[in-house]
């Protein structure tokens, strides 16, 4: 087979690329000049140099535009008053901008009026206001409010009210704002003219202006100064109904007023609100509240819970809890408790248990109650095990919350273990808590658990606990055990009361043993007749009657 010859084309010469002409380097864009930088430079010049040196620096400052916005922002940085006024005059002079003469407007005038009023230069402020009017510059609500505020602060209430009337007369050109009304109300309240202040507040509401938190703060401060603390709580309730939440400033003011007046009940209400909203007090006000609570002999636990950052204040004398590591752990747990971070609290308690660190009982009790309220009983159980290990006895309310939570969850075996641990560790649960616990177990049909708890609490076997266990037996249909317990009461010389007879008679009637129930009914009548004339009542009898008289379940 013959192959076809291959023909190769002649090689082409590659063209070399022509060298491109070098482009000139692009010029860097100019650095933008921001107003905030210019304002900062002007303020630094006014603060750091005498006016003789500051004036030429200002006139030669690159980027400085002599307009209303820049001049007003410089004045709002509060430079020294004398140089601020000279700068104010320089801005309107031909030397600043020979091409376009600058004229002050209501914004620059208002800023300068505020500086003069703040410095207490009220006559100079009024002269500048007159100059403003002569120049044909109409004041706005901010201008009138500024002048009125500083006149009121200077004690010239009549002049301040004159400014207020002038502002009201210009409704077509200048309508009072919410800030204006609030300033007027405060001036009148501070001057003791409460009736006029109330009329101004009513006029504000009639104008359709919604009070702000600052407005409510003025009202509450006036009521607190007048000693009407219950009315302050009503105002706080009205605020929340209107969708305005009290802020940190208002809470601090009200707690301070309560501390100085000794109104600890109103203070507790405010502290509970602060605890819910995670608001804290300033340290001087915290110390005032702490002293007020100590003087009244009331507990400061709530105050410390609301302010975990200050919780170590006033406890330096307690050597057990004054260690720096303990204070750190305590503050951390208080912060986590306020944030409802149960997982983190549980981990910290486990770590404290490994170190065998003792903790304050009231904080542990609060953790258990709050964790049960928020359906996190595992955290409460961890705290309980820790307290048993280190030997802390908690409040009975904490035990009740934890046991009640597990009873509602039908974890009766765990309830029994908790009670066993408490009793073996020497915790005194008391007759009331044990009776209620046995009663609840009986209602749930667990008479065996109720009997075990009754047997463990030998120190609290009285008429109340006997009656509770008897009711548990009747609930389970174990009539013979209930009657045997009745006989045991007589053997141990424990006198029955009306509540015991109530449970016994109702249980026998429910079991169909009417003859026996009639027998004990007559016996109860004799007992009541005897005690009526002998006037024999013990605390256990009163508690038992309270729990079981009229109880049928």
């Amino acid at each position: 087979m013959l192959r076809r010859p291959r023909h190769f084309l002649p090689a082409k010469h590659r063209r070399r690329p022509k060298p491109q002409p070098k482009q000139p380097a692009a010029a860097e864009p100019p650095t933008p000049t921001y107003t905030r930088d210019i304002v900062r430079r002007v303020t630094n010049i006014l603060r750091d140099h005498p006016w003789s040196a500051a004036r030429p620096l200002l006139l030669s400052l690159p980027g400085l535009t002599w307009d209303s916005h820049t001049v007003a922002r410089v004045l709002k940085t509060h430079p020294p008053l004398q140089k601020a006024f000279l700068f104010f005059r320089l801005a309107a002079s031909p030397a600043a901008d020979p091409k376009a003469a600058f004229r002050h407007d209501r914004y620059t005038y208002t800023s300068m009026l505020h500086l003069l009023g703040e410095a207490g230069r009220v006559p100079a402020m009024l002269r500048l206001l007159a100059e403003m009017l002569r120049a044909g510059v109409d004041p706005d609500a901010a201008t009138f409010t500024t002048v009125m505020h500083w006149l009121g602060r200077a004690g010239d209430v009549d002049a301040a009210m004159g400014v207020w009337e002038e502002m009201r007369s210009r409704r077509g050109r200048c309508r009072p704002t919410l800030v204006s009304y609030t300033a007027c109300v405060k001036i009148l309240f501070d001057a003791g003219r409460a009736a006029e202040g109330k009329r101004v507040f009513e006029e504000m509401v009639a104008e359709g202006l919604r009070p702000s938190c600052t407005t409510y703060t003025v009202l509450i401060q006036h009521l607190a100064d007048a000693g009407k603390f219950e009315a302050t709580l009503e105002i706080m309730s009205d605020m929340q109904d209107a969708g305005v939440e009290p802020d940190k400033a208002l809470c601090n003011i009200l707690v301070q007023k309560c501390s100085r007046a000794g109104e600890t009940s109103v203070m507790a209400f405010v502290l509970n609100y602060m605890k819910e909203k995670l608001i804290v007090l300033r340290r001087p006000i915290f110390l005032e509240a702490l002293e007020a609570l100590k003087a009244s002999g009331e507990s400061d636990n709530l105050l410390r819970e609301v302010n975990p950052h200050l919780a170590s204040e006033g406890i330096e004398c307690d050597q057990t809890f004054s260690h720096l590591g303990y204070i750190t752990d305590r503050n951390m747990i208080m912060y986590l408790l306020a944030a409802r971070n149960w997982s983190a609290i549980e981990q910290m308690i486990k770590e404290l248990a490994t170190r065998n660190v003792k903790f304050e009982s009231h904080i542990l009790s609060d953790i258990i109650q709050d964790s049960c309220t928020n359906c996190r009983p595992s955290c409460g159980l961890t705290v309980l095990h820790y307290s048993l290990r280190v030997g802390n006895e908690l409040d009975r309310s904490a035990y009740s919350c934890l046991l009640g939570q597990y009873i509602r969850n039908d974890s009766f075996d765990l309830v029994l273990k908790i009670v066993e641990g408490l009793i073996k560790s020497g915790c005194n649960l008391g007759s009331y808590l044990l009776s209620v616990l046995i009663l609840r177990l009986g209602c749930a049909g667990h008479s065996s658990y109720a009997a075990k708890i009754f047997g463990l609490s030998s120190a609290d076997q009285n008429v109340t606990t006997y009656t509770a266990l008897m009711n548990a037996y009747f609930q389970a249909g174990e009539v013979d055990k209930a009657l045997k317990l009745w006989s045991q009461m007589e053997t141990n010389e424990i006198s029955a009361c009306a509540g015991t007879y109530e449970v016994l008679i109702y249980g026998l009637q429910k079991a169909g043993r009417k003859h026996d129930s009639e027998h004990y009914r007559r016996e109860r009548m004799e007992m009541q007749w005897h005690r009526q004339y002998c006037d024999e009542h013990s605390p256990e009898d009163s508690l038992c009657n309270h729990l079981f008289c009229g109880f049928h379940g």
Side-chain angles (χ1 to χ4, degrees), residues 336 340-350 376 378-379:
L336 295 174
R340 301 292 189 266
N341 193 339
W342 308 114
S343 300
I345 293 177
E346 192 169 346
Q347 292 298 323
M348 281 202 67
I349 294 298
K350 289 179 180 179
R376 290 297 298 268
S378 60
C379 179

Side-chain angles (χ1 to χ4, degrees), residues 145 148-153 156-157 160-161 182-193 218:
T145 303
M148 180 177 62
H149 170 73
W150 291 116
L151 284 172
R153 289 288 294 269
D156 195 348
V157 180
M161 290 300 100
T182 303
C184 183
V185 170
K186 179 172 175 56
I187 291 170
L188 292 172
F189 279 160
D190 291 344
R193 296 158 65 169
V218 172

Side-chain angles (χ1 to χ4, degrees), residues 11 16 45 69 141 164 225 277 281 288 304 326 354 362 474 517:
R16 293 182 179 178
I45 290 173
H69 177 68
W164 169 252
D225 289 336
K277 300 297 181 180
L281 292 172
E288 284 190 44
R304 296 184 186 277
Y326 169 78
T354 58
H362 69 89
F474 278 125
S517 66

Side-chain angles (χ1 to χ4, degrees), residues 165-193:
E165 294 299 333
E166 177 67 21
M167 178 167 51
R168 293 181 63 205
S169 65
R170 297 178 173 229
R171 285 187 178 272
R173 294 173 294 170
C174 175
R175 181 183 179 185
T177 63
L178 175 63
V179 178
S180 307
Y181 276 106
T182 303
C184 183
V185 170
K186 179 172 175 56
I187 291 170
L188 292 172
F189 279 160
D190 291 344
R193 296 158 65 169

Side-chain angles (χ1 to χ4, degrees), residues 36-206:
R36 62 175 179 270
D37 298 327
I38 298 298
V39 171
R40 185 178 64 252
R41 293 172 192 170
V42 173
T43 304
N44 291 337
I45 290 173
L46 293 175
R47 292 182 185 278
D48 300 338
H49 297 83
W51 179 248
S52 58
R55 187 178 187 277
L57 290 175
L58 293 173
L59 293 175
S60 61
L61 183 65
L64 175 57
T65 305
W66 298 89
D67 56 11
S68 172
H69 177 68
T70 305
V71 174
R73 287 191 59 177
V74 170
L75 295 175
K76 288 179 180 178
T77 59
H78 287 71
L81 179 64
Q82 183 179 4
K83 286 184 279 188
F85 189 74
L86 292 173
F87 172 78
F88 177 80
R89 292 301 188 196
L90 177 64
S93 66
D97 193 353
K99 297 180 180 179
F102 169 74
R103 291 186 60 189
H104 288 293
D105 57 9
R106 62 177 181 267
Y107 303 107
T108 54
Y109 270 115
T110 302
S111 300
M112 194 65 231
L113 288 170
H114 175 70
L115 289 178
L116 292 171
E118 187 178 32
R121 307 286 292 274
V122 176
M125 179 184 69
L126 295 177
R127 287 195 298 268
L128 186 62
L129 177 62
E131 176 188 323
M132 176 182 178
L133 296 174
R134 288 194 303 269
V137 180
D138 286 335
D140 59 0
T143 307
F144 281 118
T145 303
T146 300
V147 175
M148 180 177 62
H149 170 73
W150 291 116
L151 284 172
R153 289 288 294 269
D156 195 348
V157 180
D158 293 333
M161 290 300 100
V163 175
W164 169 252
E165 294 299 333
E166 177 67 21
M167 178 167 51
R168 293 181 63 205
S169 65
R170 297 178 173 229
R171 285 187 178 272
R173 294 173 294 170
C174 175
R175 181 183 179 185
T177 63
L178 175 63
V179 178
S180 307
Y181 276 106
T182 303
C184 183
V185 170
K186 179 172 175 56
I187 291 170
L188 292 172
F189 279 160
D190 291 344
R193 296 158 65 169
E196 296 180 46
K198 184 179 180 181
R199 285 197 297 270
V200 173
F201 180 80
E202 292 173 351
E203 177 186 334
M204 178 191 71
V205 176

Side-chain angles (χ1 to χ4, degrees), residues 356-371:
N356 202 27
V357 177
K358 196 172 182 179
F359 217 77
E360 293 174 76
S361 298
H362 69 89
I363 298 179
L364 299 177
S365 301
D366 291 342
I367 293 174
I368 291 178
Q369 294 183 59
D370 289 352
S371 63

